[in-house]
Amino acid sequence: MLRRIAPGQARMGMYIHGFEGSWFSHPFWRTRFLLERPEDLAALLASDVPAVLIDVERGVGPAPQVLPRSVSKAPAAGPRVVSFTPMDSARLDRDHVRKTIAQSKRAVKGLFDGARLGRAINADEVAPVVSDISAAVDRNPALFIDMARLKSKDEFTYLHSVTVCALMVNFARQLGLDEPAVRAMGLAGLLHDVGKMAVPDAILNKPGRLDDAEFALIRTHPEQGYAMIEKGEGITQEALDVSLHHHEKIDGTGYPHGLKGSAISLAARMGAICDVYDALTSDRPYKQGWTPLRAVSEMHGWEGHFDRELLFKFFRSIGVVPTGLLVRMRSNRLGIALPDGAKGTRSKVRVFHCALEHAPRTLEDVFLCGSGGADHVVSEEDPARWGFADWAGLSERLTAGRG
């Protein structure tokens, strides 16, 4: 039997069945557990949850409440009017993203630590994490992805899963998938590296190069992860595919099964791209992270590694395009991709040609912020198709601002 109680009525021995309000309000990564640790009780009493659901058949009930005979009420305060400036809004967005990332990291750590101990994964328990990451990405994808990328070396394992979840959600929306499919891709991203819990931390965090035996052990994590989540509840096929096959390559040289081309599922092909991008742009014990622009440029140059069509759509989703590419814009203008400043976190396109009229246009720079906005990249183009025989010379002039 379920009972609804105020957080202040919680006591040791209660079986927590759930919390009202957003999962942000409570300090636990799970929503169903026996309240048996004093630190958990203290955290619950200090939380902002509106109410707690307890199962009185699986734990103790609330203590009898003695009410005073008379209660004097303070006069109700009048409404407080708060005005917000654009700067306030930007700060609130950053605070919201920071809180989402911190809560998600804590949830993933709890989930992964449980998997390390042999606890089965229940998809329903992590669905709220995916839901809130998805909502934050929907609100401001560039902000979330940029902030999630800035992770310290010692928290990579958990925040990598959070970032890949966000990248998968953003990517799925770029592809036009429906919302259930978007959430399934997010869950797959969140769980893709759980198999690393079977690898010793000394190897995961080793600052130098791995020897052959250590690398062989690392390469077992897809199969280890698959075995961990296969026995869970509510696990989607996408999560199983991405866990097992996110290190497969289009040309068949990946692992663990050497799958090739369309034998790799859409989810696993997406997961491979998101996994590598975040790994390249993050600080690791053995290397500094690359800028997003360098990462996409390197990935674009790796023949046989990724699905080329999907890879370019991923670039569009994050608003970063390898420098020097000829691209077509939504407005049917052609342009060359340029870096946006020294940080290499975004790209801009210098448009110079009308695709419909096959005629030059006045140079104009368009800054990219993902796939939205008034104008954005829709495809990579072959210079020869458009008669730009000396593309190297033309791109040099365009980059210098000369048409």
Side-chain angles (χ1 to χ4, degrees):
M1 180 186 298
L2 300 184
R3 291 279 302 274
R4 180 179 183 273
I5 64 170
Q9 294 177 274
R11 58 178 178 152
M12 300 290 284
M14 285 184 167
Y15 186 86
I16 307 298
H17 182 84
F19 303 93
E20 289 189 358
S22 168
W23 71 285
F24 275 153
S25 304
H26 69 79
F28 309 104
W29 75 269
R30 290 185 295 162
T31 56
R32 297 182 184 182
F33 60 96
L34 183 66
L35 192 57
E36 54 186 351
R37 300 194 311 167
E39 56 267 36
D40 287 343
L41 176 59
L44 177 55
L45 294 175
S47 72
D48 296 325
V49 295
V52 183
L53 293 178
I54 63 170
D55 188 337
V56 296
E57 294 179 353
R58 303 180 67 177
V60 302
Q65 191 173 16
V66 179
L67 297 176
R69 295 190 178 187
S70 62
V71 179
S72 59
K73 294 185 178 180
R80 188 164 67 99
V81 179
V82 180
S83 60
F84 290 95
T85 66
M87 186 175 296
D88 292 330
S89 179
R91 178 180 55 79
L92 289 174
D93 279 349
R94 286 194 300 273
D95 289 346
H96 177 76
V97 168
R98 190 177 294 111
K99 188 173 183 180
T100 304
I101 292 171
Q103 292 278 53
S104 300
K105 182 189 75 170
R106 187 183 66 205
V108 170
K109 186 178 186 306
L111 178 74
F112 280 24
D113 288 349
R116 192 198 302 267
L117 297 173
R119 184 183 300 139
I121 294 173
N122 187 331
D124 288 342
E125 289 188 339
V126 293
V129 184
V130 177
S131 178
D132 281 289
I133 291 174
S134 177
V137 170
D138 188 45
R139 180 173 178 176
N140 194 330
L143 179 63
F144 190 98
I145 291 169
D146 283 350
M147 290 183 67
R149 185 171 54 84
L150 303 175
K151 55 182 75 73
S152 65
K153 298 174 184 178
D154 59 350
E155 62 184 3
F156 175 81
T157 300
Y158 305 118
L159 277 182
H160 175 60
S161 294
V162 173
T163 311
V164 172
C165 172
L167 289 168
M168 288 285 278
V169 165
N170 192 51
F171 196 2
R173 290 197 174 118
Q174 165 69 43
L175 298 179
L177 303 185
D178 60 27
E179 198 57 28
V182 169
R183 298 296 175 89
M185 294 301 182
L187 178 65
L190 198 73
L191 298 179
H192 82 285
D193 256 354
V194 69
K196 286 187 175 177
M197 294 301 97
V199 179
D201 287 341
I203 295 178
L204 290 178
N205 301 320
K206 185 177 179 179
R209 295 181 64 86
L210 300 177
D211 61 33
D212 290 345
E214 291 168 335
F215 187 63
L217 187 56
I218 282 281
R219 284 169 63 103
T220 67
H221 81 268
E223 292 165 304
Q224 297 274 14
Y226 183 90
M228 287 178 180
I229 67 176
E230 183 185 28
K231 60 186 179 183
E233 296 182 27
I235 302 299
T236 63
Q237 186 61 48
E238 290 86 353
L240 291 168
D241 286 348
V242 175
S243 175
L244 186 59
H245 294 140
H246 64 278
H247 285 292
E248 302 286 359
K249 299 179 183 178
I250 289 296
D251 63 3
T253 62
Y255 66 91
H257 297 138
L259 299 183
K260 188 174 183 178
S262 59
I264 308 169
S265 70
L266 171 64
R269 281 177 278 150
M270 292 170 62
I273 293 170
C274 296
D275 173 64
V276 169
Y277 174 78
D278 186 60
L280 291 177
T281 55
S282 301
D283 288 341
R284 308 292 296 276
Y286 50 84
K287 78 168 188 69
Q288 291 294 112
W290 291 350
T291 66
L293 184 56
R294 181 181 176 187
V296 300
S297 298
E298 294 285 345
M299 292 170 71
H300 186 262
W302 294 348
E303 292 295 334
H305 198 126
F306 305 108
D307 180 319
R308 301 293 293 184
E309 184 178 346
L310 273 181
L311 183 63
F312 193 79
K313 290 177 179 179
F314 173 76
F315 295 161
R316 288 174 54 197
S317 75
I318 61 172
V320 188
V321 179
T323 300
L325 291 190
L326 176 66
V327 295
R328 185 170 185 149
M329 307 297 289
R330 182 173 177 269
S331 59
N332 283 311
R333 296 180 293 174
L334 301 181
I336 181 173
L338 303 174
D340 174 20
K343 292 184 178 180
T345 59
R346 287 289 177 272
S347 298
K348 64 181 176 182
V349 172
R350 183 159 291 162
V351 296
F352 66 94
H353 195 85
C354 178
L356 297 181
E357 299 174 1
H358 294 275
R361 297 287 300 268
T362 302
L363 299 186
E364 179 186 344
D365 288 350
V366 177
F367 288 83
L368 303 183
C369 294
S371 59
D375 202 4
H376 56 265
V377 170
V378 295
S379 63
E380 178 183 358
E381 297 292 321
D382 180 3
R385 177 193 169 200
W386 295 95
F388 305 138
D390 182 21
W391 175 243
L394 177 57
S395 61
E396 184 178 348
R397 295 195 302 274
L398 290 168
T399 301
R402 305 188 307 272

